[in-house]
Amino acid sequence: MKIENTKAQMRKGVLEYCILSILKEEDAYVAEILATLKDAKLLVVEGTIYPLLTRLKNAGLLNYRWEESTSGPPRKYYGLTETGKIFLKELSSTWDDLKNAVNLVTTTKTKKS
């Protein structure tokens, strides 16, 4: 079993939650989202993020707007819809429960019967 495959699957599993969390405060365009993920050491390529953003938009969790840029073509800014905000709140609760459960399992010695 290759560790890189497992690590990639773990990152993919939380990517949707991370993207929605990035957009909870303000709208962002793809380069900003990618930079934030990179700063957090969640390396993601554009080929991964565009289909995910489209899926989130089609699910009604995101919307987007075009904004002119002084340094190139117009930028597509993504933001959370009201449904997206509710969805993110539920994911946050689930994440907290999952994080606590994983911490409990991985930091506690189990007793053998």
Side-chain angles (χ1 to χ4, degrees), residues 5-54:
N5 291 342
T6 301
K7 288 161 60 174
Q9 288 302 313
M10 290 173 79
R11 285 191 294 270
K12 280 183 185 178
V14 297
L15 187 56
E16 183 175 302
Y17 176 53
C18 291
I19 289 171
L20 294 173
S21 295
I22 290 167
L23 298 172
K24 73 180 173 191
E25 297 298 323
E26 62 183 350
D27 295 355
Y29 63 100
V30 172
E32 292 173 325
I33 296 169
L34 286 170
T36 302
L37 293 169
K38 182 180 176 185
D39 289 346
K41 306 220 184 306
L42 286 168
L43 303 177
V44 179
V45 295
E46 286 185 32
T48 300
I49 199 165
Y50 281 110
L52 180 53
L53 290 170
T54 298

Side-chain angles (χ1 to χ4, degrees), residues 18-102:
C18 291
I19 289 171
L20 294 173
S21 295
I22 290 167
L23 298 172
K24 73 180 173 191
E25 297 298 323
E26 62 183 350
D27 295 355
Y29 63 100
V30 172
E32 292 173 325
I33 296 169
L34 286 170
T36 302
L37 293 169
K38 182 180 176 185
D39 289 346
K41 306 220 184 306
L42 286 168
L43 303 177
V44 179
V45 295
E46 286 185 32
T48 300
I49 199 165
Y50 281 110
L52 180 53
L53 290 170
T54 298
R55 189 169 55 79
L56 293 171
K57 180 188 71 69
N58 290 343
L61 304 177
L62 298 181
N63 54 28
Y64 68 86
R65 63 179 162 68
W66 289 98
E67 194 170 295
E68 291 297 324
S69 170
T70 57
S71 61
R75 293 177 176 163
K76 190 186 237 183
Y77 280 80
Y78 290 88
L80 292 179
T81 62
E82 287 305 314
T83 302
K85 290 174 185 175
I86 294 166
F87 190 83
L88 176 59
K89 198 174 199 178
E90 289 185 31
L91 280 182
S92 293
S93 175
T94 300
W95 174 254
D96 289 341
D97 293 345
L98 181 60
K99 181 175 59 172
N100 291 336
V102 169

